[in-house]
Amino acid sequence: MATPASYRQSVTVGFVGLGVMGQPMALNLARAGTDLIVWNRSPERTVPLREAGAVVAGDVAEVFATAGTIILMLADDRVIDHVLGRGTGSFAKLVAGRTVVHMGTTAPAYSAGLAADVIGAGGAYAEAPVSGSRGPAETGDLVVMIAGGGPEVEDVLRPMCREIVRCGDVPGALLMKLAVNTFLISMVTGLAESFHFARRHGLDPATLLAALDAGPMASVVSRVKGRKLRDRDFDVQAAIRDVLYNSRLVVGAARQAGIASPLLDVCRDLYAETDAAGFGGEDMAAVIRALEARSTR
């Protein structure tokens, strides 16, 4: 007996955006047995998903026609608007009757506007940005901050994460993500400065790492990034250009609210200098390059 199309649509999940974070997140859904259909602008990124059992759509419209819940893990607001055809006649037809889950990082005000448009077109909306980089994305250890949606959306997200934190109404989850990133970005930048200070004073980076690992400030992040700084391994987990984008979002949201952000102002400038020097595709630990370039010897 054939499965009704309406039933399949209710249980099928769509995933749009298979970048550094999106691909491993979608793979965790597929490996958990989720009935999954995916699409990405660069088709080669879909190959591991096909091998894991996901259906690869020919275009975004096929994803929305097939799935009841569609996860967006796209680079920024301009890409989202382009992919959804927002501002055109196709947008309402695409999202009507669907639940759109925005898992990327954008300005909170943008997300609030997107939510209003999706709901106005007859769809449902949740924002669910994540805390974590490629490593936790691969192991399913992300922390999801969610606003909007109900238990059924949380059930869809669970194979991708270790924890789900409720953050009230939209855009509360994206505001929370920016608050978390304020700590993360300033912490990793401070760690890079610590290694830079040690190297310039002739100290052994491995000894510095041992001291940090043994102390009260040790964390998963400090251990991962500390090893990258010790070894000068800048293979990307969270890219310089993405951290710059996030830094600008934090500073922008702070300015809109009249909040001082002195640490993130400095971090934004350092990541901008690293990106401008041609290292935007390296891991955020490579911000040490900007510190080195600023130093007198």
Side-chain angles (χ1 to χ4, degrees):
M1 182 175 179
T3 301
S6 60
Y7 173 77
R8 174 150 191 246
Q9 186 183 85
S10 70
V11 298
T12 301
V13 174
F15 201 108
V16 176
L18 303 172
V20 170
M21 295 289 289
Q23 188 189 70
M25 290 165 65
L27 280 168
N28 281 329
L29 288 178
R31 290 164 180 162
T34 303
D35 187 5
L36 189 66
I37 182 168
V38 304
W39 180 83
N40 192 67
R41 289 183 296 173
S42 302
E44 65 273 10
R45 300 287 296 177
T46 67
V47 172
L49 272 300
R50 191 190 299 276
E51 293 172 350
V55 174
V56 176
D59 55 26
V60 171
E62 184 182 350
V63 176
F64 277 81
T66 305
T69 299
I70 297 91
I71 293 167
L72 305 178
M73 193 61 182
L74 295 166
D76 55 36
D77 51 4
R78 291 173 297 175
V79 175
I80 294 170
D81 286 349
H82 175 73
V83 167
L84 297 183
R86 191 171 175 217
T88 73
S90 64
F91 175 80
K93 182 180 179 181
L94 199 69
V95 304
R98 307 294 186 268
T99 298
V100 176
V101 184
H102 169 30
M103 295 195 75
T105 304
T106 60
Y110 169 83
S111 181
L114 180 60
D117 286 353
V118 170
I119 292 167
Y125 182 85
E127 58 181 25
V130 301
S131 178
S133 57
R134 188 182 70 186
E138 290 172 344
T139 59
D141 287 320
L142 296 169
V143 175
V144 170
M145 293 153 278
I146 189 168
E152 70 284 354
V153 174
E154 294 184 22
D155 288 344
V156 169
L157 302 180
R158 289 194 189 281
M160 298 184 286
C161 65
R162 173 171 47 83
E163 194 76 37
I164 295 176
V165 180
R166 273 274 161 196
C167 300
D169 297 328
V170 175
L174 273 161
L175 286 167
M176 190 66 70
K177 169 68 184 286
L178 296 186
V180 169
N181 277 358
T182 298
F183 178 44
L184 171 66
I185 294 168
S186 57
M187 176 174 62
V188 174
T189 308
L191 186 66
E193 187 166 337
S194 176
F195 273 84
H196 177 56
F197 177 92
R199 284 184 186 274
R200 289 304 178 102
H201 280 281
L203 301 177
D204 178 12
T207 304
L208 171 60
L209 181 61
L212 291 170
D213 282 354
M217 297 174 293
S219 67
V220 172
V221 172
S222 74
R223 291 188 175 103
V224 170
K225 300 304 184 188
R227 279 153 182 75
K228 282 185 166 296
L229 288 161
R230 178 196 64 190
D231 301 335
R232 294 190 69 83
D233 163 25
F234 300 136
D235 183 50
V236 66
Q237 293 279 338
I240 287 286
R241 65 173 63 97
D242 294 332
V243 178
L244 173 58
Y245 169 71
N246 277 266
S247 299
R248 287 170 170 162
L249 288 178
V250 172
V251 172
R255 293 293 179 274
Q256 288 178 353
I259 299 168
S261 58
L263 288 176
L264 262 291
D265 291 353
V266 172
C267 291
R268 174 202 57 199
D269 293 345
L270 288 167
Y271 286 94
E273 290 165 23
T274 311
D275 184 45
F279 303 111
E282 294 188 342
D283 187 76
M284 66 185 297
V287 72
I288 195 171
R289 295 187 187 278
L291 296 166
E292 292 166 347
R294 285 190 182 193
S295 298
T296 57
R297 60 182 179 85

